[in-house]
Amino acid sequence: KAGVTQTPRYLIKTRGQQVTLSCSPISGHRSVSWYQQTPGQGLQFLFEYFSETQRNKGNFPGRFSGRQFSNSRSEMNVSTLELGDSALYLCASSLAFGRRNTGELFFGEGSRLTVL
Amino acid sequence: AQKITQTQPGMFVQEKEAVTLDCTYDTSDQSYGLFWYKQPSSGEMIFLIYQGSYDEQNATEGRYSLNFQKARKSANLVISASQLGDSAMYFCAMREGANQAGTALIFGKGTTLSVSS
């Protein structure tokens, strides 16, 4: 069973540019979320999607946006990149939304973004 | 105020020893879930163990157990018989609220575990 796949794994951008990151959840998983990990701030929640709808959003500026497609794949976009956006962006997926389960979330290996 | 507090930036242990990684949490919700994840240098987050707030027994998964003390708002991870491959960053995380199947977690700052031979 394939895990959560994130592309690209590494990328370098310059300030002011925009970037799109992709996440393919485990087959059958419909809930996807995104996290930003930096040495200073640690792991911070960005957004959560289920059935193409954003269900939850973290405390990030409007430059950070995302979407989910009908096949549950998700993309996140960061516009007008700043140096502080350099981070590891992690995607997680889980089986269900809205009912209790064991709570296991599966993470991808992340996309490491460097902004110069 | 921090919702998840991991007070040990780094821990050092020898192979085959047991180690406890501390985690305290803060929430006013009655329904919540607590997680531990391991992050090796490769970056991937690996799920270790989960404890629901209404679970009466402490969760166990192989060599991992979660020492859940609800009144103290504590969810410490115990790793028995440490192995060299356990060297990694360990994160405690919480999911608040009635949606106990969502993917929005609050993470602690992490504890780096180093296991030596």
Side-chain angles (χ1 to χ4, degrees), chain A residues 13-85:
Chain A
K13 294 284 188 178
T14 56
R15 277 182 299 177
Q17 288 187 312
Q18 73 165 11
V19 66
T20 299
L21 308 178
S22 178
C23 171
S24 294
I26 291 171
S27 178
H29 284 197
R30 297 172 64 192
S31 180
V32 172
S33 60
W34 290 88
Y35 293 83
Q36 181 196 65
Q37 185 176 23
T38 59
Q41 298 298 317
L43 276 151
Q44 294 185 286
F45 168 73
L46 280 156
F47 1 77
E48 176 181 31
Y49 288 90
F50 181 78
S51 291
E52 302 176 66
T53 301
Q54 188 178 90
R55 301 288 181 156
N56 211 341
K57 189 177 190 301
N59 188 24
F60 277 81
R63 300 185 298 106
F64 291 81
S65 62
R67 58 179 176 168
Q68 186 181 33
F69 302 95
S70 58
N71 61 358
S72 294
R73 190 177 71 85
S74 177
E75 287 182 349
M76 67 163 282
N77 183 276
V78 188
S79 62
T80 320
L81 284 166
E82 300 176 0
L83 296 179
D85 297 333

Side-chain angles (χ1 to χ4, degrees), chain B residues 7-19:
Chain B
T7 56
Q8 306 153 314
M11 291 284 285
F12 297 86
V13 67
Q14 290 209 310
E15 263 187 305
K16 300 179 185 177
E17 288 183 348
V19 62

Side-chain angles (χ1 to χ4, degrees), chain B residues 4-38:
Chain B
I4 298 286
T5 303
Q6 294 181 254
T7 56
Q8 306 153 314
M11 291 284 285
F12 297 86
V13 67
Q14 290 209 310
E15 263 187 305
K16 300 179 185 177
E17 288 183 348
V19 62
T20 297
L21 306 182
D22 294 341
C23 173
T24 57
Y25 60 92
D26 182 26
T27 182
S28 56
D29 286 345
Q30 296 301 308
S31 178
Y32 53 89
L34 297 159
F35 301 75
W36 276 93
Y37 281 87
K38 170 184 176 181

